[in-house]
Each structure stands twice: as structure tokens, then as C-alpha cells.
Amino acid sequence: KKERTLAMIKPDAVTKVGDIIQMIYDANLIVTKAKMTKLTWKQAADFYTEHQSKSFFNNLVQFVSSGPVIAMELMGDEAVSTWRKVLGPTDSGVAQKDAANSLRGQFGTDGTKNAGHGSDSLASAARELEFFFPSTTGHGPSNTA
Ligand code: CMP
């Protein structure tokens, strides 16, 4: 089934964008929107609101707002699960052992500095795509894609 998902390259892997886009195409996904931006602490906290009660929330928000990120809309067959498979296990240490060719296996450092993010469901994808690529109308050329 053709799906859309939100991919985010985190600050630790922005310099690897070339390799990462190659991995996206190798997985039979295409990039249909892209934006490089720097999130404020508040924006990052909003993005990760479902994790606000977790012990790692502050580290996560601090890290993701520490430098630029690249957000992309990816499209393709089973895009949500396909992209998460490209990412590999959340913990980069596990990824390095069990999925060395994955994005986190190659570019991640630990559980927080883990190079990339992918929506975990179609519902999350809808919310996260709206976060980075709001579907407002009447605002001219930048929102007509
Ligand atoms: P991400 O896919 O961006 O979505 C939630 C993030 O929470 C996840 O990547 C990790 O970076 C982070 N995370 C999840 N579990 C832990 C953990 N145990 N310790 C630190 N960070 C975590």
C-alpha cells in the first residue's frame, strides 16, 4: 500500500544527507518534500509531546534542538515501516551490532544521538508531516507543493 511518512535527519547526521538520500532511494522510497530547519526547544518539545513523561525527554528535546535538522516527506510502498527498517533499532549501539548497514548502525552514536527519526504509524505520520509541512492554503508559492 502506498503511504507517506515523515523522516527527520537529526543534528548529528545532517552532514550525511547525501548517503541518507541514497539509502532512501535504495529502499524504493522517494523524497516528495524536504526542509532544513533548526527547531527551538519548544518546537522540539511539541514534536515529541507523546514522550513528555519519559525519563529521556529532556535529553531528547535538547539534542534535537541543538542544531539543524532535515525533515522530509517520503512516499512509497509501506513507507512508514520501510523507513523505520532503514533507520534500524532506536539504540545505535544495538543497531551497530544487529543492523550495521542501517542508518543508525552507520551514523548513530547512542540512544539519544541516533541520527534519524521516522513516524511510528500512519496517524503519527499525518501529525508529523503537518508539523513540518503545514497544509495551509492561500499563502502563496511556498505552500503549493
Ligand atoms: P525517535 O525515533 O526520534 O523517537 C523517539 C526518540 O526517543 C527516539 O528516536 C530516541 O532518540 C529517544 N529514545 C527512545 N528511548 C530512549 C532511551 N531509552 N534513552 C534515550 N533516548 C531514547
Side-chain angles (χ1 to χ4, degrees):
K1 182 165 56 69
K2 190 167 169 178
E3 295 175 353
R4 302 186 301 159
T5 194
L6 185 278
M8 179 172 67
I9 305 177
K10 297 187 184 180
D12 58 328
V14 161
T15 61
K16 311 296 186 190
V17 59
D19 301 83
I20 291 169
I21 287 176
Q22 189 61 54
M23 294 172 79
I24 290 168
Y25 283 88
D26 288 347
N28 238 3
L29 300 172
I30 60 170
V31 178
T32 43
K33 295 179 185 173
K35 176 193 282 183
M36 185 160 175
T37 188
K38 189 166 181 294
L39 300 178
T40 63
W41 198 97
K42 173 135 184 13
Q43 287 171 325
D46 269 0
F47 182 78
Y48 282 119
T49 189
E50 74 201 69
H51 296 300
Q52 61 183 293
S53 64
K54 309 272 177 63
S55 61
F56 57 77
F57 180 73
N58 272 277
N59 278 343
L60 174 62
V61 170
Q62 150 61 28
F63 170 59
V64 167
S65 61
S66 68
V69 299
I70 298 172
M72 292 176 281
E73 179 187 76
L74 307 184
M75 284 184 72
D77 205 51
E78 313 285 345
V80 170
S81 61
T82 300
W83 173 239
R84 284 174 70 85
K85 188 164 183 203
V86 173
L87 283 169
T90 301
D91 185 325
S92 303
V94 173
Q96 283 157 17
K97 277 187 256 158
D98 298 350
N101 294 328
S102 68
L103 194 154
R104 287 164 172 159
Q106 293 183 69
F107 306 128
T109 303
D110 55 31
T112 300
K113 280 183 262 178
N114 66 353
H117 167 84
S119 310
D120 66 2
S121 65
L122 285 173
S124 296
R127 187 185 80 80
E128 294 174 2
L129 286 166
E130 186 64 23
F131 178 91
F132 279 106
F133 305 106
S135 59
T136 50
T137 55
H139 292 273
S142 67
N143 266 314
T144 54

